[in-house]
Amino acid sequence: MFSKILIANRSEIGVRIIKTCRRLGVKTAIVYSEADADSLAVEMADEAVFIGPPPASESYLVMDKIIDAVRQTGSEAVHPGFGFLSENPVFAKRLADEKIAFIGPNVHAIEAMGDKITSKEFAAKAGVSTVPGHMGLIEETEEAVKISDGIGYPVMIKASAGGGGKGIRVAYSAEEVLEGFPAVRAEAKNAFGDDRVFIEKFIESPRHIEIQVLGDKHGNAIHLFERECSIQRRNQKVIEEAPSPLLDEDTRQKMGAQAVALSKAVNYDSAGTVEFVASGADKSFYFLEMNTRLQVEHPVTEMITGVDLVEQMLRVASGEELAIKQEDLSINGWAVESRVYAEDPYRNFLPSIGRLKRFQPPSEGKIDGAPGTVRMDSGVREGDEISMFYDPMIAKLVTHGETRDAAIDTQQAALDRYLIDGIQDNIPFVATVYDQARFRSGNITTAYIKDEFPDGFAGVEPDEDQTLILAASAAYVHGTFSHRAAQISGRMSPVPAPREDWIVILGKEHFPIKLRFASGRTEIDLNGSTHTLETDWVPGEHLFEGKIDGNPFAVKFSDRTEGYLFRHRGVAIRALVCTPQSAALHAKLPEKEQADLSKLIMSPMPGLVVSVDVEVGQEVKSGSAVCVVEAMKMQNIIRAEADGVVKAVNVGAGDSVAADEIMVEFE
Ligand code: ADP
Ligand code: ADP
Ligand code: MG
């Protein structure tokens, strides 16, 4: 085994690798850019090497800097994590030339699988079922149309070098190919510097199911069953689980056998993933691509098999023979993972950047009222800055239970207790998905999010149970604060008993509520019935946890200039708690006027202006693109919210902008 390795990555996956190394007694060194100097991964590693400015192209992607860091720290091997240099054959080759071990597969395997066209040809030869389509490059748009007509619509146009959901388009007709083919080429050229494109059949009701494989340098290869990752937004995974609700034992065996056959065909000698698209209708499945690295969602496999994949990667990279045999493996229970993204689900999932004022993830292991266990994989701490330079994924939340329902129930309970403030996060969105009966039934496809949220995510209205939870929590919190204020001021002596009568205004609705406080157990009258609330909450905590009528719950709240913002599942609602007198007054107040921002186009986050698509004097229609701002590797198209004529353009391509900076003004 190695005595010291270098981690050529950052954040969550850096921390993940360090945890295993510590357990194995392997020392770690990690590289970091200026933006990550104070990061958790850097704090946890035994050593850290500074490699330059925040943009990845000037730090994490510069091979010379990584190799210098290996030399400087005396590391014997490099773990590339995912993203960055993890699937770069040139990097793997350079390490090999320098006699530094690469904790990943051999160069030949990366090359053979690195590109979607060659890997598809390779897979077909190895007896793996591939998506029907054209096995080769397509140069001209006319040719693309002819090929698509031949395959039959719908078809998928794909960049051979594509990844991370970029460089992919579905076309339902020849017209859409005419438009989509050049678009994919341009996007591929832009994102990957490689405009080779191919076309295959679009599998309807597609489900993304992938097989985890593990190989060594002695010709052994095994699979660790499947993961289903059909819950995707713009081809990017959001929720993953293992096993898949679709597969029966027979299909599982067939898929696993094909994945192992492909791994053996490329002498695969590390952890890798063979991705398939499966048809929800008949369970037929087709090879998509092989990812020659550790996968973001690898923890769900670890939870159901008990195998530490990072440990296995280290062992096989150091030359050990695989100690696990196929027949040693079995599926234990069910695991579900949510990717926690720094993005604002209520504003079209725009990247969200800023300081983590509060970051209190749920505790690992058992939590109150949930049947399963929780695993937290995170790369951040309270107080950290989420910058515009990298991927928006800040953590992963994994839960395990005996059944799928138990894993999901535990996921819900853990998300309810996952407190993030200072930036926006996608927790309300994923919590809403878990609440949906269709998700629970396992009837999912990669179009799930598009089907269920056709107009985006606008939050959820509280149902009856949630109204009770929210009103009771708000009244309890505010009642406690106001009683404490009376005690502390000491002006009234003796201190009066806590007030019992309150009006909770949730959004616009008024709810008269009565609280009879008693230590640990409070009686609540709401809407004509009486409930009991038990809680250990103390002022200062922004997570309000307890039981109502014996049922555990947790809500999150933060202070607003007026009242509180309460959050539960997909609900985010303003709560104002008043005495009956002031509630009556409040009802008479005119609604505060919102400032008119409709004539301004402001940057929704700090970022880099990629293009401005309008000029002064131009008439712009509602919904048309005004400019493009890039942050967190995403290009965000900023659109006009109403028709208008451009009065001023304050920024140009290449400018950096702050959040809320006014970029374009209308007459
Ligand atoms: P998975 O491991 O499930 O395939 P992703 O496809 O999201 O997950 O990719 C893993 C990580 O690598 C993510 O952080 C993603 O942003 C990044 N990534 C994947 N492919 C690329 C690419 N071609 N260019 C840049 N980043 C990529
Ligand atoms: P990436 O490198 O971006 O991960 P993939 O080829 O793995 O690209 O495809 C990304 C997603 O697009 C898959 O998870 C799958 O949901 C969908 N997809 C890809 N090819 C097809 C296809 N032929 N039919 C239906 N869906 C597909
Ligand atoms: Mg993929």
Side-chain angles (χ1 to χ4, degrees):
M1 181 49 78
F2 306 115
S3 57
K4 190 196 276 184
I5 68 161
L6 181 96
I7 299 167
N9 214 301
R10 60 183 295 280
S11 191
E12 175 271 325
I13 193 59
V15 171
R16 162 70 192 90
I17 296 165
I18 293 168
K19 282 183 185 166
T20 288
C21 289
R22 282 185 174 175
R23 192 169 56 72
L24 298 177
V26 175
K27 290 250 175 300
T28 51
I30 193 164
V31 295
Y32 67 96
S33 77
E34 230 166 274
D36 289 329
D38 296 321
S39 70
L40 177 61
V42 167
E43 180 192 296
M44 285 177 66
D46 297 305
E47 280 172 72
V49 182
F50 175 68
I51 50 163
S57 58
E58 295 169 46
S59 49
Y60 295 104
L61 288 172
V62 183
M63 296 180 202
D64 286 337
K65 292 186 175 180
I66 307 290
I67 288 165
D68 283 350
V70 173
R71 297 276 173 247
Q72 199 180 317
T73 55
S75 301
E76 295 149 76
V78 174
H79 198 308
F82 43 68
F84 299 135
L85 295 170
S86 61
E87 291 181 277
N88 187 319
V90 178
F91 180 60
K93 177 95 187 19
R94 280 208 50 189
L95 291 179
D97 291 346
E98 307 253 353
K99 305 267 180 296
I100 302 164
F102 180 59
I103 304 174
N106 63 77
V107 179
H108 165 72
I110 304 178
E111 272 170 351
M113 294 296 119
D115 160 309
K116 290 195 209 293
I117 296 180
T118 38
S119 69
K120 198 174 161 182
E121 286 166 353
F122 204 100
K125 273 187 217 133
V128 176
S129 40
T130 55
V131 187
H134 182 73
M135 286 276 184
L137 283 179
I138 304 166
E139 296 285 348
E140 301 295 331
T141 307
E142 280 158 42
E143 194 192 345
V145 172
K146 225 181 270 156
I147 288 168
S148 304
D149 286 344
I151 296 171
Y153 295 95
V155 296
M156 204 155 196
I157 309 169
K158 283 186 172 181
S160 192
K166 280 190 190 159
I168 284 189
R169 273 261 183 132
V170 185
Y172 287 87
S173 63
E175 288 73 51
E176 290 187 10
V177 177
L178 277 176
E179 193 203 314
F181 183 79
V184 170
R185 274 195 97 158
E187 193 177 323
K189 176 102 201 152
N190 198 2
F192 314 108
D194 177 344
D195 67 355
R196 290 170 310 130
V197 170
F198 68 107
I199 297 181
E200 63 188 22
K201 179 100 188 132
F202 178 75
I203 307 300
E204 308 229 34
S205 300
R207 300 177 65 137
H208 177 113
I209 300 180
E210 57 188 33
I211 302 281
Q212 174 71 51
V213 295
L214 199 52
D216 65 15
K217 296 186 193 302
H218 307 275
N220 301 303
I222 56 172
H223 72 85
L224 291 90
F225 313 108
E226 78 280 5
R227 294 183 285 259
E228 173 148 11
C229 319
S230 295
I231 306 298
Q232 308 181 347
R233 210 177 62 80
R234 297 206 202 135
N235 298 315
Q236 268 285 356
K237 300 161 186 167
V238 181
I239 292 174
E240 302 106 342
E241 61 186 300
S244 158
L246 181 74
L247 293 200
D248 50 58
E249 201 45 45
D250 185 45
T251 315
R252 171 173 299 126
Q253 292 311 331
K254 281 188 190 138
M255 243 186 199
Q258 289 199 4
V260 168
L262 179 62
S263 306
K264 289 198 166 155
V266 286
N267 297 319
Y268 201 80
D269 50 355
S270 186
T273 296
V274 181
E275 295 189 333
F276 292 93
V277 59
S279 162
D282 61 6
K283 297 187 191 174
S284 58
F285 59 89
Y286 309 93
F287 170 79
L288 276 182
E289 64 168 343
M290 180 166 190
N291 292 328
T292 54
R293 55 169 160 91
L294 189 65
Q295 196 95 341
V296 171
E297 57 275 19
H298 74 277
V300 290
T301 299
E302 298 186 323
M303 298 294 276
I304 61 156
T305 58
V307 174
D308 179 332
L309 288 165
V310 174
E311 173 182 346
Q312 295 304 319
M313 288 178 86
L314 262 73
R315 291 197 181 284
V316 294
S318 73
E320 281 183 33
E321 195 166 338
L322 264 185
I324 310 165
K325 303 266 167 293
Q326 191 68 57
E327 58 272 20
D328 299 339
L329 291 167
S330 60
I331 297 177
N332 166 30
W334 212 285
V336 180
E337 173 181 283
S338 304
R339 296 192 186 192
V340 179
Y341 286 120
E343 63 187 15
D344 187 348
Y346 301 102
R347 289 174 72 196
N348 205 15
F349 299 91
L350 279 171
S352 182
I353 288 155
R355 195 163 291 284
L356 284 168
K357 257 175 47 193
R358 276 188 272 276
F359 183 75
Q360 293 161 23
S363 51
E364 290 204 292
K366 279 289 219 189
I367 50 176
D368 216 20
T373 54
V374 178
R375 164 174 167 177
M376 267 291 309
D377 283 50
S378 152
V380 295
R381 296 159 300 198
E382 195 160 279
D384 283 356
E385 180 92 26
I386 306 300
S387 80
M388 61 180 266
F389 297 104
Y390 311 107
D391 196 271
M393 192 179 83
I394 57 172
K396 299 182 304 213
L397 179 68
V398 189
T399 52
H400 179 261
E402 275 177 29
T403 60
R404 185 168 187 265
D405 274 334
I408 298 172
D409 287 343
T410 309
Q411 183 75 217
Q412 286 282 41
L415 288 168
D416 285 348
R417 288 160 182 79
Y418 204 134
L419 185 64
I420 300 178
D421 267 328
I423 60 156
Q424 297 296 319
D425 60 74
N426 67 335
I427 289 174
F429 176 70
V430 289
T432 302
V433 173
Y434 290 121
D435 262 341
Q436 292 180 324
R438 179 175 162 199
F439 180 81
R440 284 277 176 169
S441 77
N443 171 23
I444 54 181
T445 74
T446 57
Y448 186 92
I449 291 179
K450 240 191 283 155
D451 292 349
E452 297 298 319
F453 305 91
D455 305 315
F457 179 68
V460 174
E461 291 294 321
D463 62 17
E464 206 177 308
D465 289 346
Q466 283 176 309
T467 300
L468 170 63
I469 291 173
L470 292 163
S473 304
Y476 188 97
V477 164
H478 188 76
T480 307
F481 279 139
S482 90
H483 185 56
R484 279 241 311 197
Q487 285 173 315
I488 291 166
S489 87
R491 240 182 278 152
M492 282 179 278
S493 162
V495 176
R499 166 183 283 280
E500 290 192 357
D501 286 309
W502 295 99
I503 308 284
V504 180
I505 308 175
L506 283 179
K508 290 197 167 104
E509 264 193 277
H510 287 227
F511 295 93
I513 191 166
K514 219 186 236 303
L515 289 185
R516 285 181 296 280
F517 282 99
S519 70
R521 187 188 160 93
T522 301
E523 280 195 351
I524 292 176
D525 296 339
L526 178 76
N527 290 338
S529 43
T530 300
H531 305 271
T532 59
L533 167 67
E534 297 161 77
T535 179
D536 301 329
W537 178 81
V538 287
E541 286 173 13
H542 289 261
L543 184 71
F544 186 79
E545 254 185 291
K547 286 183 183 156
I548 290 184
D549 299 331
N551 301 314
F553 73 93
V555 298
K556 306 161 190 176
F557 71 94
S558 44
D559 305 311
R560 285 288 181 269
T561 15
E562 205 183 25
Y564 310 87
L565 179 76
F566 267 83
R567 289 175 288 162
H568 183 252
R569 305 277 156 102
V571 177
I573 199 163
R574 197 181 65 134
L576 204 59
V577 188
C578 325
T579 61
Q581 297 84 332
S582 63
L585 275 178
H586 189 88
K588 287 201 200 104
L589 286 178
E591 286 222 19
K592 275 203 200 118
E593 285 213 13
Q594 288 275 324
D596 183 11
L597 301 176
S598 67
K599 297 201 158 48
L600 305 175
I601 298 281
M602 303 194 292
S603 177
M605 71 254 147
L608 191 72
V609 178
V610 177
S611 68
V612 178
D613 306 320
V614 296
E615 45 193 58
V616 175
Q618 188 177 332
E619 269 185 49
V620 176
K621 287 262 169 269
S622 168
S624 60
V626 175
C627 48
V628 178
V629 177
E630 184 176 295
M632 291 175 152
K633 301 199 309 193
M634 288 277 292
Q635 298 209 341
N636 303 280
I637 302 174
I638 317 295
R639 298 178 186 279
E641 281 174 19
D643 295 355
V645 175
V646 178
K647 183 170 129 195
V649 174
N650 304 332
V651 294
D655 288 352
S656 21
V657 282
D660 294 333
E661 188 164 328
I662 297 168
M663 301 188 292
V664 172
E665 297 169 48
F666 289 98
E667 304 259 349

